[in-house]
Amino acid sequence: MAGRSTDPVLVGSQEFAAVYGVPARNTAQWIQRGLLDYQEAVIVSGRAYWPIGAAVAFGESAERPRTPDMAYVEQLVAEQAPGRSAKTALAVRAKDLPPIVGIQEVLALTGEDPTKGKLVTDAVTKGVFTSPDWRLSGSPLWLLPNALTGLDRMRERPKSRPLVVIPEVLAALENGTYDGPGSRVLTRGQRADS
């Protein structure tokens, strides 16, 4: 988990639903019905992640207002950004987020096949790659600098494959213009507009 009082507090689809005490499938249903969209989300490895403030604001702006479980929200803030107040965590919007990557973006950084996620997950399990900053809705996520540290650590291992960071992919991730593998949400085999 992220651990500095300045880190963003994020929710994936499972945590988003838990903010309202409903099953995880409700997030997908809200998206399908057009009640929730990806405008306030970041897309990482093909999945949407929202700042906690966007998740809480959803309940206020819904056609039928929903009341968020603020105890759960405060728990997420305490877990992801110890020392940060819920008030400041709720003020963060998607445009304020630093570059965040998942397995697909890490693989794209090195030109590896996007289907070779086991390369990264095995390295994390063995303690070679840096631990994820978040594990949300079952997926590991890293702040970009922490993922780069993980790649450095992988390169230092004896007999490791030479993993070279592609400057253009790194620049796109840093600038928020990345459009490679994982940059769009896939739904029913189709790209969803974000």
Side-chain angles (χ1 to χ4, degrees), residues 11-20 22 27 30 36 50 54-56 58:
V11 294
S13 60
Q14 292 174 9
E15 297 83 10
F16 196 115
V19 166
Y20 294 98
V22 297
T27 306
W30 293 331
L36 177 63
W50 293 265
V56 170
F58 167 76

Side-chain angles (χ1 to χ4, degrees), residues 70-164:
M70 291 309 291
Y72 179 67
V73 169
E74 289 180 18
Q75 175 188 330
L76 290 173
V77 172
E79 289 172 357
Q80 295 184 30
R84 185 171 209 167
S85 73
K87 183 178 179 179
T88 61
L90 291 170
V92 174
R93 294 295 181 241
K95 66 180 176 48
D96 304 322
L97 296 174
I100 298 168
V101 297
I103 290 174
Q104 289 185 20
E105 293 81 7
V106 169
L107 294 170
L109 269 168
T110 60
E112 291 289 326
D113 183 333
T115 64
K116 303 288 184 192
K118 192 166 172 25
L119 175 73
V120 178
T121 56
D122 285 352
V124 169
T125 301
K126 293 175 183 174
V128 176
F129 201 88
T130 50
S131 294
D133 293 296
W134 298 271
R135 281 200 185 272
L136 298 172
S137 297
S139 297
L141 304 173
W142 294 266
L143 293 166
L144 180 58
N146 295 341
L148 293 171
T149 298
L151 288 171
D152 287 342
R153 287 172 54 180
M154 284 180 75
R155 278 194 294 274
E156 293 169 3
R157 297 281 296 197
K159 299 182 183 178
S160 68
R161 294 179 10 194
L163 296 172
V164 178

Side-chain angles (χ1 to χ4, degrees), residues 25-53:
R25 69 179 177 272
N26 283 37
T27 306
Q29 291 171 350
W30 293 331
I31 291 167
Q32 289 171 352
R33 293 180 193 150
L35 303 173
L36 177 63
D37 59 37
Y38 302 123
Q39 286 187 301
E40 271 297 318
V42 292
I43 308 304
V44 181
S45 289
R47 292 183 170 191
Y49 299 92
W50 293 265
I52 191 65

